[in-house]
Amino acid sequence: MDLKNGHVDDLAALGELDERILLDGIHLRYNQDIIYTYIGDILIAVNPFKNLPIYGKEEAAKYVDIKLRSKLRPHLFAIADKAYQAMKRTGVSQCCVVSGESGAGKTESTKLMVKHIIELCKNGTNNLHKRIIEVNPLLEAFGNAQTIMNSNSSRFGKFISLKFSHEGKVVGAKIYDYLLEKSRVVGQGIKEKNFHIFYYLFAGLRKDQLKDLLLDKPEKHRILRPVDNSPVFSSEAVFQYNREMLAHLQYIMLVVGFSEEEVSMVFALLGAVLHIGDIHFEVDVETDGVYIVDEYVLEIVAVLLGVNVEELVATLISNVAILRGERIVTLKNVDQANDGRDALAKALYARLFGWIVRQINTMLEPEPEHRIHPGPEIGILDIAGFENFPINSFEQLCINVANEQLQFYFNQHIFAWELDEYKREGVSGSEIVFTDNRGLLDLFLDKPLGLFSLLDEESKFPRATDTSLVQKIEKHHKKNEYFRQPKGGGLTFGIAHYAGQVVYHAHGFLEKNRDTLSSNLMELMKQSDSQIVSDLFQAQVTDTGSLEPIKNTPKRSRKSILLCKAPNMANRTKSMSRQAGKKLKERINPAKMQTDGPMRDQKTAGAKFQNSLTDLMSRLLDAEPQFIRCVKPNHYKQPNDFKRDLVLEQLRYTGVLETTRIRRLGYPTRLPLRTFIERYKCLAFPVNANVRVTQDNCRKIAKAANLFGWEIGTHKIFLKYWHTEQLNLTVDRLGASVLTIQRCVRGYLARKKLWELKDRLKKEAIIAKAFMTILAKQAAVKAEAIIAQKQQDMLRHQKKLKDTQREAREQQQRQEDEHRREELARHLDERDRLERNFQPPPVPPKSYKNSNISAGNRHSYGDPYSGVGPGRNPAAAHRPGQHPERVPDRRSAPIDYTPENHQNLPNHGQNRYGRQSYFPESDRNVSARYEARHYHPMPDLLPPSKPDRLRPFEEDIRQSPIANQPYKREAFRPSSQPMQGIRRTPGMELRDRQFEYNTIKSTIYQPSEIDMSDTAHYARQTNGVGTTDRNKVYRHFIDEALSKKPALDRDVWCKIIYMERDQDIAKVHVSAPEMIVDGSDVDFDGYRLGLCRYENPFRDDKTAKIREHIGKGVTLTRDNEGSILATRYGKNNIIVKGYSDPAHHSISEEVVYNMGKLPPDRPVKVFDMKEFKSHIALEMNKANADIESLRSQCVVALSFVRNTLDDLETPCWIIIVNFIALDALEDKDMLKEVQESLANLVVKRSGQKAGAAGQRSKHQSHGDMYAEVRKPDRTSAEGLSPESNSPGRRKWAKFKKTKD
């Protein structure tokens, strides 16, 4: 091995051993920044005093489940992994003992080990791991301080116990605290400081937060003021560091589980400790007692502690003792008052520290199931190292004794127990001499003359002094080999520790050992108004000095003191403490002032220390130890400075040389034979074999593992430190081989099972396929039978429907014929009666012959408004207020309707072909409509035998007096402004708004008022409103559209009218090819119409509700032929009006098939141009083509609610006037195309009907004959083109075909 290059990781493997070789090896590795070195299974760690890149995640990942330690460099992580893996493998608790001088790096090593162990078992289920890791910085803030030797020295001992489940998962943790150096709170030595938290407080809190606690600069507070009056923060960097640490500390406390209020309470108590230290006492000559100089500070303390200021004064300046059942009050002198003040500050801080530890343990406690069945633990000990200061007091004595105890434990475990076991088991071992410090421990811990026993005995006497203590120690131990009496004497004595001689100054030993707080102060704190202060002082302190949780303590309603107001001292003229001293002076009995009594029976600091030490050693003895020896290279904390003398001294007193020798020559691993066989029998015997526990079987196992240098005793086998690693590695290899074999066998079995499963699945698939085939065939037979049955049912239903319709039509025709005959007879009788009684009127003046009135009303069948004409009673022309002589005699001045006379007729406008328009632009009356019906649009298509005149029956009907009724004339004349409460409908009818909307609640309908709507599903109220009113509305909007169309752009293809019942709310002209109508409130922009944008003061609740639920509405689109397609996007139904009457609407067959419902998200033709052309052809086949009817079919209406009322009572609907269809009626080319198709149809029909016409009865009425000629043959469609069939018939035929 190359020792000169520092490549020897294990010094126990060296062939030659002495102090120089060990020191040279450690020095060479230190110069190469290799700070860790093995001595067998013990780790030596040299503090580098600088950051090294060996603790990152990548480096930590290398030290996870190490199989062969020699492949990796020595590291702290390797010891942590070894402890964790040993715990998992054996189930035995482990402990890591970190020891060394102060400043050797024990605290940092402890934090790194805890972090790595937590990472090894991290399962990511909760933040327990993070809380455990963050515990150390929190404890350091309250328990660490700067000393001469170390800037972050642990001033208490902590044992961190990590609790694991039996599976190796961390489930909780617990902190055991020992020996807090609370005397540091009230006083420090030169170049030393108080606990870190106080400096974090002043650097990190804002000015307003410090003001809430009435804190000033840190130098103004006595317990923080340095002895040499140097600044508290030596530089800006130090100040910034402390500020950052407070922010980090607050974050840690929240992570661990403290609430923000608890953090604030902790800061308030720290402020109280600072103010208590500022209380200053002086001698009161009047009472021979003391008084408080600055009572301003006293009142701040009282507020922060939540106590009465007068009671606090009394407890600070006096003592209360109970002697023989009598309460004795005495006044304190200055020293006693200062001791009482410091005792209160120390007790408050110590109990606060204990409360923080207790809170941490509560938050890290395992779950109940893990507490019932606890698993193994890993404990890590971090305690203050050996200390030797210029002035060593009681605290250094306790710390050094604790280190002596750890050294003794190390010697016993490494040397004494091992050598004793060699002798008992009969194993030959090298005689190794080591330094045994048992006698030194007896000097301190022996009873009744041990140093701590003498200290407790002297503390019980009130008049005992530190001098009497030293004298007693010298008396009993001056001949002890470890006791030294320094020159000069005085209050000093020396002890020869294992690490060197230390001189102790006994000043204050008795007071620190008593560690008492006067009973009156204790009672006052228990009665505090602050909840946390009361809890702290009501909690019991254990024998080891820890704070116990409060159990079954009654709670009072207390508050939390988080801030303090400055006391008002302006009105105070007398000293409160002087007044209290005078009152107490009067109560003192002079005869009993000098009475000496024994000290109360309570635990001293020395007794608590011994109990803590016993508890700590019991925890270490219950676990398997792992040792880490920390070495300090220099006293100045400088990097790259290796002081050989200092390091050699540490190596000597820690017994490193002896440890190396015994690790090389001895057997650190000593296993019972039964344990060895159970753990490693698989190396030489079958796993399930029952192997007897014998030495021969152990030898077989050792030989199978190729071990050399081992020994077998009577009950144990002795192994070298590397044998355990070799055995575990062999077992792991065997386990890996077993896993490989298992993997192959299980894979084969799984594949075999998979093959069998696949075969079975194939067979099942074939059977299932055959079954499904049979099932499909049977289903097909059943389906065909069902379809055939449905077809038969449909045929029967259609036949029955046709028969019913035919019978209904025949019955209606018979009734109409009978009604016509009766009307004709009545009219003939009435005409004969009037002619018999006729008296000719006087001849009108000549000026009336060519007047506009007469010319405007010339008609061969009479003026409907005048009531005069052929076959009518002239007396009907006599209206109220008009003289009969002024009525012209139309019979005496007949007018021939020649083309020249047409210019004298009322000008209704001409169409684009120069022909007289049958769709006048202005408002028309009844006579104008009947005049328009006299002219056929295509006279060439009339049959030759049919006269170009109206039938007599129709002529008589057109002359009926019904045309002269006033309300009928009013319906078609322009009206003036309606009266209040009266409105005019789109049909130009006047209606009272008061009775405009009838609801179900306000109207009771008679049976005669109920009729069926066009949906044929719902009953509705008629009230005389029906198809006639709807056609009036349609014609009104058609006339209005035609009147405005010449002024519109040629791109306008439709007009949309938004209706609420029979009121037109909005009218828009559309030129965009696609139009959206929805329930939004968007203004019309040419592409979108929002119906909620428009207001209607007469809107009822039902209409408003339906309008608000229109939603996304409908999109209207036109195609190149002029058809209109509608796409519904909303969730509510949209109904196409007139779907049940396709003979009078140009709707597509899909609308009829869907019962008028628009399907969602799919365009449907709501206006079909091909259907419209079919209607034109059918109308041309009539003798008197009804152009108004064709114009009405240019309109399509969409309802946003399924019809339950008549058309004009629909709550929300829109009317779409198709300008393209209107233009088609005046399109010469289109009409010519339809004319040619219709002519061919008429010729074909004439030949088919010629025979049937000759067989008709000659006595048939003239009107009926013509009706028979006009009537198309709807019983058969044979030989007719699709255009000759009725649209309704074709749609029902297609519907039937689809159903079939």
Side-chain angles (χ1 to χ4, degrees):
M1 297 184 181
D2 192 359
L3 180 61
K4 295 182 179 180
N5 295 327
H7 293 165
V8 179
D9 293 334
D10 189 355
L11 298 182
L14 295 175
E16 183 180 357
L17 281 178
D18 57 29
E19 292 181 349
R20 184 186 58 80
I21 294 176
L22 291 178
L23 186 61
D24 290 343
I26 296 175
H27 191 185
L28 288 172
R29 295 172 66 82
Y30 179 81
N31 292 336
Q32 299 174 12
D33 287 339
I34 304 174
I35 62 174
Y36 295 116
T37 306
Y38 288 132
I39 299 179
D41 54 355
I42 301 172
L43 182 69
I44 301 295
V46 183
N47 193 344
F49 291 118
K50 63 180 179 181
N51 294 325
L52 295 177
I54 57 174
Y55 304 106
K57 292 184 178 180
E58 295 181 359
E59 193 72 18
K62 299 177 183 178
Y63 296 90
V64 176
D65 195 10
I66 303 172
K67 302 299 181 184
L68 195 60
R69 189 184 68 169
S70 60
K71 291 185 178 180
L72 296 172
R73 282 188 172 183
H75 203 290
L76 195 68
F77 292 161
I79 301 298
D81 180 74
K82 179 183 176 183
Y84 177 71
Q85 300 302 333
M87 181 204 69
K88 284 185 62 179
R89 188 185 301 272
T90 64
V92 177
S93 296
Q94 306 286 314
C95 68
C96 300
V97 181
V98 185
S99 60
E101 286 192 3
S102 179
K106 299 184 299 300
T107 301
E108 293 298 322
S109 298
T110 301
K111 291 190 291 185
L112 290 172
M113 291 190 70
V114 171
K115 182 177 180 181
H116 189 66
I117 293 175
I118 293 300
E119 291 296 328
L120 289 175
C121 59
K122 189 174 183 180
N123 52 17
T125 56
N126 50 41
N127 63 345
L128 176 63
H129 311 88
K130 186 175 182 180
R131 285 185 287 168
I132 293 175
I133 293 173
E134 296 293 354
V135 160
N136 273 311
L138 177 58
L139 294 176
E140 287 179 14
F142 288 88
N144 287 24
Q146 177 180 328
T147 64
I148 298 176
M149 303 176 64
N150 187 3
S151 60
N152 188 30
S153 177
S154 297
R155 308 321 298 167
F156 74 108
K158 63 175 178 289
F159 185 79
I160 303 174
S161 177
L162 303 178
K163 301 180 182 298
F164 295 85
S165 65
H166 294 284
E167 294 77 21
K169 301 297 182 182
V170 64
V171 295
K174 187 172 183 180
I175 309 297
Y176 298 92
D177 62 299
Y178 304 104
L179 311 174
L180 176 67
E181 188 188 356
K182 54 186 177 182
S183 62
R184 183 171 291 270
V185 175
V186 295
Q188 308 90 37
I190 300 175
K191 295 184 180 180
E192 292 190 351
K193 289 189 175 182
N194 212 320
F195 291 101
H196 294 324
I197 184 61
F198 292 107
Y199 306 99
Y200 296 168
L201 207 66
F202 281 95
L205 291 182
R206 301 188 307 271
K207 291 184 178 180
D208 58 326
Q209 293 175 321
L210 291 173
K211 187 177 180 181
D212 290 338
L213 301 176
L214 298 179
L215 294 177
D216 207 335
K217 294 181 180 181
E219 291 84 1
K220 294 187 178 182
H221 296 281
R222 181 182 66 86
I223 63 176
L224 296 183
R225 188 182 305 123
V227 178
D228 56 357
N229 293 326
S230 61
V232 171
F233 301 108
S234 58
S235 64
E236 181 65 24
V238 174
F239 180 82
Q240 291 297 330
Y241 170 78
N242 284 273
R243 171 179 288 182
E244 295 172 1
M245 287 304 298
L246 181 69
H248 183 59
L249 180 65
Q250 290 175 308
Y251 165 76
I252 290 174
M253 296 182 75
L254 295 177
V255 168
V256 171
F258 289 86
S259 65
E260 293 185 358
E261 184 177 0
E262 289 176 334
V263 174
S264 299
M265 288 192 299
V266 170
F267 291 166
L269 291 182
L270 293 175
V273 172
L274 291 171
H275 287 298
I276 290 173
D278 293 336
I279 297 176
H280 182 60
F281 297 97
E282 291 289 346
V283 177
D284 187 359
V285 295
E286 296 181 7
T287 61
D288 293 331
V290 295
Y291 71 94
I292 298 173
V293 177
D294 188 0
E295 295 184 352
Y296 174 85
V297 178
L298 181 70
E299 293 205 12
I300 295 175
V301 173
V303 172
L304 289 176
L305 296 180
V307 297
N308 183 271
V309 62
E310 295 180 356
E311 294 179 359
L312 179 61
V313 169
T315 56
L316 289 175
I317 65 175
S318 66
N319 277 326
V320 176
I322 305 297
L323 182 61
R324 297 186 182 92
E326 185 178 357
R327 183 182 178 90
I328 299 175
V329 179
T330 59
L331 294 177
K332 295 180 180 179
N333 56 31
V334 174
D335 292 337
Q336 292 174 339
N338 289 334
D339 291 342
R341 172 201 63 195
D342 292 345
L344 177 61
K346 291 188 295 183
L348 181 59
Y349 187 85
R351 290 174 179 267
L352 176 62
F353 181 81
W355 177 82
I356 291 174
V357 174
R358 189 183 69 190
Q359 294 296 101
I360 292 174
N361 289 334
T362 301
M363 297 165 189
L364 301 182
E365 189 176 16
E367 297 295 331
E369 61 269 17
H370 297 296
R371 294 199 298 269
I372 296 174
H373 304 287
E377 302 178 1
I378 296 180
I380 302 174
L381 176 63
D382 177 22
I383 195 168
F386 186 83
E387 294 181 347
N388 188 0
F389 298 153
I391 298 177
N392 299 287
S393 186
F394 179 75
E395 293 79 17
Q396 281 69 45
L397 177 68
C398 295
I399 291 173
N400 292 338
V401 172
N403 281 273
E404 288 285 353
Q405 184 69 61
L406 290 178
Q407 179 66 24
F408 177 76
Y409 169 74
F410 177 81
N411 293 338
Q412 292 295 105
H413 193 278
I414 299 299
F415 303 109
W417 294 341
E418 186 170 340
L419 295 176
D420 291 342
E421 201 159 16
Y422 293 164
K423 294 178 182 179
R424 287 196 307 268
E425 294 291 329
V427 176
S428 60
S430 176
E431 291 296 331
I432 300 174
V433 179
F434 64 94
T435 303
D436 190 358
N437 62 341
R438 180 185 295 272
L440 191 144
L441 287 176
D442 292 339
L443 172 65
F444 285 99
L445 305 177
D446 195 14
K447 293 184 179 181
L449 299 178
L451 193 145
F452 282 105
S453 297
L454 295 176
L455 181 61
D456 290 345
E457 181 182 354
E458 199 70 10
S459 299
K460 293 179 181 180
F461 298 103
R463 293 192 175 185
T465 62
D466 296 329
T467 302
S468 63
L469 172 64
V470 174
Q471 291 174 355
K472 186 174 289 189
I473 292 174
E474 290 179 354
K475 176 181 177 181
H476 292 284
H477 298 290
K478 62 181 178 178
K479 295 182 179 181
N480 192 298
E481 60 177 326
Y482 299 102
F483 184 80
R484 302 287 187 270
Q485 187 173 3
K487 295 179 181 181
L491 295 178
T492 62
F493 63 92
I495 301 294
H497 289 281
Y498 76 98
Q501 180 175 324
V502 179
V503 177
Y504 295 98
H505 292 255
H507 178 72
F509 265 41
L510 290 178
E511 185 61 32
K512 292 178 180 179
N513 184 56
R514 291 188 181 109
D515 189 29
T516 57
L517 184 66
S518 61
S519 58
N520 52 355
L521 270 176
M522 179 68 74
E523 291 299 324
L524 180 63
M525 295 298 108
K526 289 181 180 180
Q527 300 301 321
S528 170
D529 291 335
S530 174
Q531 184 67 55
I532 187 172
V533 174
S534 176
D535 291 345
L536 290 180
F537 285 90
Q538 285 183 6
Q540 297 297 322
V541 179
T542 64
D543 292 340
T544 61
S546 301
L547 201 65
E548 286 186 347
I550 302 176
K551 297 181 180 179
N552 302 326
T553 300
K555 297 274 186 177
R556 294 189 304 166
S557 177
R558 292 186 173 93
K559 60 184 177 179
S560 298
I561 309 298
L562 303 180
L563 52 88
C564 179
K565 294 183 179 180
N568 185 9
M569 306 295 294
N571 298 327
R572 183 168 298 170
T573 57
K574 297 182 180 180
S575 172
M576 187 185 307
S577 58
R578 290 178 183 270
Q579 298 295 324
K582 292 179 181 179
K583 293 180 181 179
L584 292 172
K585 180 71 173 178
E586 297 174 357
R587 296 166 52 188
I588 293 176
N589 187 350
K592 298 182 179 180
M593 288 186 59
Q594 303 298 325
T595 302
D596 293 335
M599 182 182 173
R600 290 176 301 168
D601 187 15
Q602 63 180 13
K603 293 291 183 180
T604 61
K608 294 177 182 177
F609 166 72
Q610 295 179 72
N611 293 331
S612 300
L613 205 57
T614 303
D615 179 74
L616 175 62
M617 296 311 300
S618 65
R619 298 185 186 280
L620 295 179
L621 291 173
D622 291 339
E624 185 177 335
Q626 307 291 337
F627 292 102
I628 299 95
R629 287 290 193 176
C630 295
V631 177
K632 182 168 62 173
N634 60 78
H635 286 302
Y636 315 106
K637 296 176 284 188
Q638 296 297 322
N640 302 323
D641 186 5
F642 191 87
K643 301 297 184 183
R644 294 177 63 90
D645 295 339
L646 177 62
V647 174
L648 181 59
E649 183 182 357
Q650 296 177 67
L651 294 178
R652 283 175 179 172
Y653 69 69
T654 55
V656 172
L657 181 62
E658 293 81 2
T659 304
T660 306
R661 185 177 295 113
I662 197 171
R663 278 292 177 260
R664 187 181 67 173
L665 302 178
Y667 305 96
T669 303
R670 302 174 293 278
L671 297 177
L673 298 182
R674 181 178 297 278
T675 303
F676 180 76
I677 290 176
E678 290 177 354
R679 191 177 297 178
Y680 302 110
K681 70 178 182 178
C682 61
L683 300 179
F685 301 95
V687 177
N688 55 356
N690 187 12
V691 182
R692 295 180 59 190
V693 181
T694 62
Q695 294 180 350
D696 293 337
N697 290 335
C698 291
R699 289 188 182 93
K700 292 179 181 179
I701 296 172
K703 291 179 180 179
N706 295 323
L707 299 181
F708 300 97
W710 46 270
E711 292 286 345
I712 294 182
T714 306
H715 303 94
K716 291 184 178 181
I717 183 170
F718 293 81
L719 303 173
K720 300 292 185 181
Y721 64 89
W722 65 83
H723 285 163
T724 304
E725 183 179 293
Q726 187 175 348
L727 284 169
N728 293 334
L729 183 61
T730 306
V731 172
D732 291 340
R733 288 175 180 172
L734 182 61
S737 301
V738 172
L739 290 177
T740 302
I741 296 172
Q742 289 179 347
R743 183 169 62 249
C744 295
V745 173
R746 289 176 180 173
Y748 167 75
L749 295 176
R751 287 190 295 272
K752 183 179 179 180
K753 186 176 181 180
L754 179 62
W755 295 333
E756 295 175 355
L757 182 61
K758 285 184 176 179
D759 293 338
R760 188 175 65 184
L761 290 177
K762 288 181 181 179
K763 294 178 182 179
E764 291 178 355
I766 293 172
I767 296 173
K769 185 176 181 181
F771 172 75
M772 294 303 296
T773 303
I774 297 173
L775 189 63
K777 291 181 179 179
Q778 293 179 357
V781 173
K782 294 292 184 182
E784 291 176 358
I786 293 173
I787 293 173
Q789 184 65 35
K790 284 187 176 180
Q791 290 177 349
Q792 293 177 4
D793 294 343
M794 184 65 72
L795 290 175
R796 287 196 300 269
H797 176 72
Q798 291 180 354
K799 182 179 179 182
K800 184 178 180 181
L801 182 62
K802 288 180 181 179
D803 294 342
T804 304
Q805 292 177 350
R806 184 177 67 254
E807 292 176 359
R809 287 196 299 270
E810 292 175 354
Q811 179 67 21
Q812 182 179 3
Q813 188 65 33
R814 287 194 296 269
Q815 292 177 358
E816 290 178 355
D817 292 346
E818 183 66 25
H819 180 69
R820 288 173 183 169
R821 292 188 185 96
E822 292 176 358
E823 287 292 327
L824 180 59
R826 188 174 63 81
H827 283 300
L828 290 176
D829 293 342
E830 182 68 20
R831 185 180 61 182
D832 292 342
R833 187 181 64 80
L834 292 176
E835 287 180 352
R836 285 193 302 269
N837 299 327
F838 174 69
Q839 296 295 331
V843 179
K846 295 182 180 180
S847 59
Y848 288 166
K849 292 182 180 180
N850 297 324
S851 65
N852 294 333
I853 299 175
S854 129
N857 294 318
R858 292 172 185 174
H859 198 286
S860 60
Y861 299 103
D863 186 357
Y865 288 117
S866 65
V868 179
R872 296 190 180 184
N873 187 359
H878 293 264
R879 302 176 184 176
Q882 183 179 2
H883 197 276
E885 296 180 357
R886 300 182 63 181
V887 179
D889 187 1
R890 294 179 181 273
R891 292 183 300 174
S892 63
I895 302 174
D896 294 333
Y897 281 87
T898 61
E900 292 79 3
N901 290 334
H902 277 287
Q903 62 186 354
N904 295 325
L905 293 174
N907 185 10
H908 300 302
Q910 295 182 347
N911 58 17
R912 65 181 68 181
Y913 310 114
R915 175 178 287 180
Q916 181 71 26
S917 173
Y918 301 99
F919 314 104
E921 305 297 339
S922 60
D923 293 331
R924 297 181 297 278
N925 52 29
V926 176
S927 64
R929 294 182 184 275
Y930 283 99
E931 288 172 359
R933 294 177 59 86
H934 178 67
Y935 299 97
H936 197 285
M938 296 183 181
D940 298 337
L941 298 179
L942 292 175
S945 61
K946 190 172 184 178
D948 190 10
R949 63 184 297 276
L950 296 176
R951 293 181 298 166
F953 177 75
E954 292 184 356
E955 176 182 346
D956 293 336
I957 293 301
R958 196 163 278 116
Q959 296 171 359
S960 174
I962 193 172
N964 292 329
Q965 294 180 8
Y967 77 92
K968 287 292 183 181
R969 293 196 304 271
E970 184 66 20
F972 293 92
R973 290 182 180 178
S975 65
S976 60
Q977 182 70 20
M979 297 180 292
Q980 184 176 5
I982 304 298
R983 71 175 185 85
R984 190 176 298 280
T985 66
M988 305 305 293
E989 293 183 356
L990 294 176
R991 182 170 297 184
D992 192 346
R993 290 173 177 168
Q994 182 179 359
F995 306 102
E996 182 175 356
Y997 303 114
N998 292 328
T999 62
I1000 295 177
K1001 295 182 179 180
S1002 61
T1003 306
I1004 301 178
Y1005 303 123
Q1006 299 296 330
S1008 60
E1009 295 176 323
I1010 303 299
D1011 195 3
M1012 297 301 293
S1013 69
D1014 56 6
T1015 63
H1017 294 294
Y1018 306 98
R1020 61 182 174 84
Q1021 177 192 8
T1022 58
N1023 290 338
V1025 180
T1027 308
T1028 303
D1029 288 347
R1030 180 188 63 193
N1031 291 337
K1032 285 181 181 180
V1033 174
Y1034 288 0
R1035 289 172 182 171
H1036 167 73
F1037 289 123
I1038 290 172
D1039 296 342
E1040 185 181 51
L1042 290 174
S1043 65
K1044 295 182 180 180
K1045 190 174 185 306
L1048 299 176
D1049 189 16
R1050 293 181 61 86
D1051 294 336
V1052 175
W1053 59 276
C1054 77
K1055 179 178 182 179
I1056 299 177
I1057 302 97
Y1058 168 43
M1059 302 289 294
E1060 292 185 358
R1061 300 191 183 274
D1062 57 353
Q1063 300 183 60
D1064 52 322
I1065 306 302
K1067 304 174 184 178
V1068 297
H1069 294 87
V1070 181
S1071 59
E1074 184 174 278
M1075 175 69 180
I1076 300 175
V1077 181
D1078 57 15
S1080 65
D1081 57 354
V1082 179
D1083 289 331
F1084 175 67
D1085 57 357
Y1087 300 93
R1088 185 177 183 184
L1089 176 63
L1091 302 185
C1092 289
R1093 179 67 178 86
Y1094 303 99
E1095 297 296 333
N1096 179 11
F1098 306 103
R1099 181 179 296 128
D1100 60 347
D1101 296 339
K1102 181 178 181 181
T1103 303
K1105 181 177 180 180
I1106 293 173
R1107 188 192 68 146
E1108 293 175 357
H1109 288 77
I1110 291 176
K1112 297 182 180 179
V1114 65
T1115 299
L1116 304 175
T1117 313
R1118 66 170 176 84
D1119 59 8
N1120 296 331
E1121 296 180 357
S1123 301
I1124 300 177
L1125 293 89
T1127 306
R1128 174 169 71 89
Y1129 292 107
K1131 63 180 180 179
N1132 297 324
N1133 287 331
I1134 297 178
I1135 308 299
V1136 181
K1137 285 181 174 290
Y1139 70 88
S1140 62
D1141 186 17
H1144 295 87
H1145 296 81
S1146 300
I1147 56 179
S1148 63
E1149 60 178 309
E1150 186 176 0
V1151 174
V1152 178
Y1153 179 81
N1154 293 331
M1155 302 292 288
K1157 292 183 179 180
L1158 293 182
D1161 303 327
R1162 184 165 61 84
V1164 176
K1165 284 187 180 181
V1166 295
F1167 182 90
D1168 195 341
M1169 184 59 75
K1170 292 183 180 179
E1171 297 292 338
F1172 181 64
K1173 291 181 180 179
S1174 300
H1175 286 295
I1176 294 176
L1178 291 174
E1179 196 68 30
M1180 288 180 177
N1181 193 33
K1182 297 180 181 179
N1184 294 324
D1186 191 356
I1187 304 303
E1188 292 294 333
S1189 175
L1190 290 177
R1191 284 183 172 174
S1192 297
Q1193 294 191 29
C1194 297
V1195 176
V1196 62
L1198 304 180
S1199 172
F1200 292 100
V1201 63
R1202 189 167 182 82
N1203 289 348
T1204 58
L1205 299 172
D1206 190 76
D1207 288 344
L1208 298 186
E1209 293 299 323
T1210 302
C1212 293
W1213 55 301
I1214 58 173
I1215 299 175
I1216 307 170
V1217 181
N1218 193 343
F1219 285 175
I1220 300 176
L1222 291 174
D1223 291 342
L1225 293 177
E1226 300 179 0
D1227 190 345
K1228 182 177 181 181
D1229 296 335
M1230 193 278 293
L1231 293 177
K1232 183 177 181 181
E1233 177 184 352
V1234 176
Q1235 179 181 358
E1236 292 174 356
S1237 301
L1238 192 57
N1240 295 333
L1241 176 63
V1242 170
V1243 171
K1244 189 173 181 179
R1245 285 289 303 262
S1246 297
Q1248 293 177 355
K1249 297 296 181 177
Q1255 300 298 328
R1256 291 190 181 93
S1257 175
K1258 295 181 180 181
H1259 301 286
Q1260 190 177 16
S1261 66
H1262 190 61
D1264 290 340
M1265 179 181 67
Y1266 278 110
E1268 182 67 24
V1269 171
R1270 292 195 312 273
K1271 181 178 179 181
D1273 185 8
R1274 299 178 183 268
T1275 61
S1276 176
E1278 297 178 359
L1280 297 180
S1281 62
E1283 289 81 358
S1284 64
N1285 288 329
S1286 169
R1289 178 179 178 80
R1290 288 188 287 107
K1291 291 168 185 173
W1292 280 109
K1294 292 182 180 179
F1295 176 71
K1296 174 180 176 301
K1297 183 177 180 182
T1298 304
K1299 290 294 185 181
D1300 294 340

